[in-house]
Amino acid sequence: SNGAVMVGASAGYQTKIATGSIFLGSSAGRAATNASYSFFAGSQAGYGASAATNSIFFGRYAGSGATDANDSIIMGYQAGIDSVSASTSILLGYRAGDNRCYDVGSIGSGNIIIGYKLTLPPASTNRINIGGVIFGVNANSSLNPNSAATATGAVSIGINEPNASAILELAATDKGLLLPRMTKAQRD
């Protein structure tokens, strides 16, 4: 592939269309297709990945077997392995979005998963899972992504699907909500 840098045993071997990519590590980017302008680092990072243009896969097996993962950042041991339709997603952490572990099928696009052994329901789009505690829906904005809040977004704590009519939903059977307590002097 034109201008690609491949360092490591079998790095980039049998790769098709990887212009300007960097593959570092044993079998990194091996047999990847349509992975131009991507950076795969780690043993078998991006191995067999397809449609992974402009992506960063960092960690052993990160993004290995991922399909339709364009414009994504996948970091961590086995993060995003065999993930399907994960374009424009951010998967960070040990086995974050690992489809071999959870067999959810399509992870979906525009998602953010941060934490240890976490994923989202199948075919999720524009969702957030942070630590298995904080969940969000409608996380992407077609407005100015640098500063605009998503008016249709919702967040939940303790439940992975916020109620559609709520901006915030809390769920627990053994804990309540504690709002800040302030003296009159602190409020004024």
Side-chain angles (χ1 to χ4, degrees):
S1 294
N2 290 338
V5 176
M6 302 170 189
V7 179
S10 297
Y13 178 69
Q14 295 179 326
T15 296
K16 297 177 182 140
I17 311 173
T19 302
S21 291
I22 299 172
F23 302 148
L24 304 174
S26 176
S27 295
R30 181 178 179 170
T33 58
N34 296 322
S36 293
Y37 309 105
S38 293
F39 178 79
F40 300 163
S43 177
Q44 297 188 31
Y47 185 119
S50 66
T53 300
N54 303 317
S55 293
I56 299 170
F57 299 167
F58 188 86
R60 189 170 186 201
Y61 304 110
S64 181
T67 59
D68 297 322
N70 290 316
D71 306 305
S72 292
I73 299 171
I74 300 176
M75 299 178 120
Y77 174 78
Q78 291 188 352
I81 197 167
D82 287 342
S83 57
V84 178
S85 301
S87 63
T88 64
S89 291
I90 300 170
L91 312 176
L92 304 175
Y94 177 91
R95 300 186 88 167
D98 175 356
N99 197 37
R100 281 190 193 167
C101 185
Y102 305 108
D103 195 25
V104 296
S106 172
I107 287 180
S109 63
N111 294 311
I112 300 170
I113 302 173
I114 301 173
Y116 177 84
K117 289 186 172 181
L118 298 175
T119 195
L120 286 165
S124 296
T125 301
N126 302 330
R127 291 184 178 235
I128 298 171
N129 179 350
I130 301 174
V133 175
I134 300 172
F135 298 88
V137 297
N138 301 325
N140 276 350
S141 172
S142 61
L143 302 171
N144 179 351
N146 296 322
S147 62
T150 302
T152 59
V155 174
S156 65
I157 298 175
I159 186 169
N160 69 0
E161 182 70 35
N163 187 298
S165 65
I167 193 166
L168 173 65
E169 180 176 2
L170 307 175
T173 59
D174 60 345
K175 298 177 185 172
L177 173 65
L178 182 59
L179 297 174
R181 295 167 293 212
M182 298 168 37
T183 66
K184 183 177 184 324
Q186 290 170 322
R187 285 190 304 266
D188 297 337

